[in-house]
Amino acid sequence: MPTNEADDGGNQRGRIGLIVPSSNTTAEPEFRAALPAPVSVHGARMSLESVTVDELDAMSDDATRAAELLGHAAVDAIAYACTTGSLLHGPGFDAELEATIREAAGVPAVATARSVVRALEFIDATRIAVVTPYTADLDEKEREFLEQRGFDVATIDGRGLERNTAIGALDETEAFQQVVDHVGQYDSSGLDAIFVSCTNYRSLAAVDDLESELGVPVVTSNGATLWDLARVADFESESEHANENENERASTSASEAETGSENRLTIDGPGALFERDR
């Protein structure tokens, strides 16, 4: 469970760390909006202005130092919150990033590319559509990564943007429209999920509307990372919280003293991913 528990005055109960590209303006606000008030969000930044292979490759060299600095803040868990930056070198690189951060900071760690895989596997998705703000070369790397991890990428669509500030300037209505316009050309009944990629693409707030419109689960980079980070930090999902309330236990206080569940923090995220028990 989180190490930073609340005192009687209701003060802070948890801290999460985000390692983000320096030009990312979306991850921290989306995490903050989805997390309960007692959890604080702390960012460390790695130099990146354009989402290109060369800049993403150089950026990962900053991961260890960023993790060490977040460790000074006694965070409960850390996310390497960059999708293409954590899949750039194919399957295995994401796991290496998680291990590097975990060792440097001494706390659990997740990397977005691996979090996306875990989330898609968790909702039993095999055939997926992918929507991104990226250029064609990064879309191809993403396709290769996902296919190597066992997913059938039915279609992938990118906006062709390279400057990360241009990606961050997009809002959830533009993400919604891109997904609907692209996926709407296909029979969405043949899809198990839609993945909206990029931690700087403001799309988490569009998930519920997209799922209602298209009838399939929608996973975003920040949604998957948040879900996975909550898992390793031992927070609970909204559905877990509801199930606990429905199941009356004979010895509540004894049970909670044993499990520490009275101190677990509830994450109320959007969409099908957060509606299932982890």
Side-chain angles (χ1 to χ4, degrees):
M1 72 180 177
T3 57
N4 300 295
E5 298 174 1
D7 61 21
D8 292 339
N11 294 324
Q12 177 182 300
R13 286 176 55 192
R15 301 187 188 108
I16 63 165
L18 293 183
I19 300 175
V20 296
S22 56
S23 49
N24 186 307
T25 55
T26 299
E28 290 145 314
E30 286 201 332
F31 271 66
R32 178 63 272 155
L35 285 163
V39 181
S40 56
V41 179
H42 304 273
R45 309 186 93 74
M46 307 171 291
S47 180
L48 181 132
E49 293 183 83
S50 296
V51 188
T52 64
V53 171
D54 288 344
E55 285 205 34
L56 288 164
D57 198 19
M59 182 184 72
S60 64
D61 293 338
D62 295 338
T64 300
R65 180 61 174 160
E68 289 173 348
L69 294 175
L70 284 172
H72 296 172
V75 295
D76 297 300
I78 295 174
Y80 186 94
C82 181
T83 315
T84 48
S86 54
L87 62 78
L88 191 63
H89 299 295
F93 182 60
D94 48 356
E96 290 176 12
L97 278 172
E98 290 184 345
T100 296
I101 293 166
R102 185 168 58 246
E103 182 176 346
V107 297
V110 301
T112 295
R114 204 166 192 213
S115 296
V116 168
V117 170
R118 291 184 182 117
L120 291 171
E121 289 177 343
F122 181 73
I123 60 174
D124 299 318
T126 300
R127 184 171 173 80
I128 63 174
V130 182
V131 173
T132 87
Y134 307 136
T135 56
D137 58 339
L138 285 179
D139 281 348
E140 188 56 34
K141 285 189 176 294
E142 185 142 21
R143 178 194 288 276
E144 290 173 3
F145 171 83
L146 291 166
E147 289 180 344
Q148 288 169 2
R149 295 305 299 258
F151 299 102
D152 176 9
V153 179
T155 179
I156 187 167
D157 179 64
R159 283 182 172 269
L161 298 177
E162 189 172 282
R163 294 290 293 180
N164 207 24
T165 50
I167 295 172
L170 300 169
D171 64 23
E172 62 270 18
T173 62
E174 291 165 297
F176 176 91
Q177 201 59 52
Q178 184 187 3
V179 174
V180 170
D181 287 349
H182 183 68
V183 177
Q185 303 175 46
Y186 299 86
D187 181 6
S188 60
S189 65
L191 297 172
D192 299 317
I194 298 164
F195 169 43
V196 185
S197 184
C198 188
T199 61
N200 201 30
Y201 197 5
R202 204 172 303 273
S203 52
L204 193 58
V207 167
D208 286 333
D209 288 341
L210 284 169
E211 290 185 345
S212 296
E213 178 79 15
L214 299 169
V216 293
V218 175
V219 172
T220 74
S221 288
N222 283 334
T225 308
L226 173 65
W227 170 84
D228 203 19
L229 193 62
R231 178 185 64 84
V232 300
D234 198 25
F235 299 164
E236 67 183 1
S237 68
E238 187 67 29
S239 59
E240 288 175 313
H241 184 64
N243 289 341
E244 283 185 7
N245 289 341
E246 290 171 6
N247 298 326
E248 292 186 358
R249 290 170 288 185
S251 303
T252 303
S253 59
S255 174
E256 289 183 344
E258 200 172 296
T259 64
S261 62
E262 78 279 15
N263 287 320
R264 297 182 73 203
L265 296 164
T266 301
I267 309 301
D268 184 15
L273 175 63
F274 287 86
E275 292 170 1
R276 301 190 187 190
D277 292 343
R278 290 195 301 276

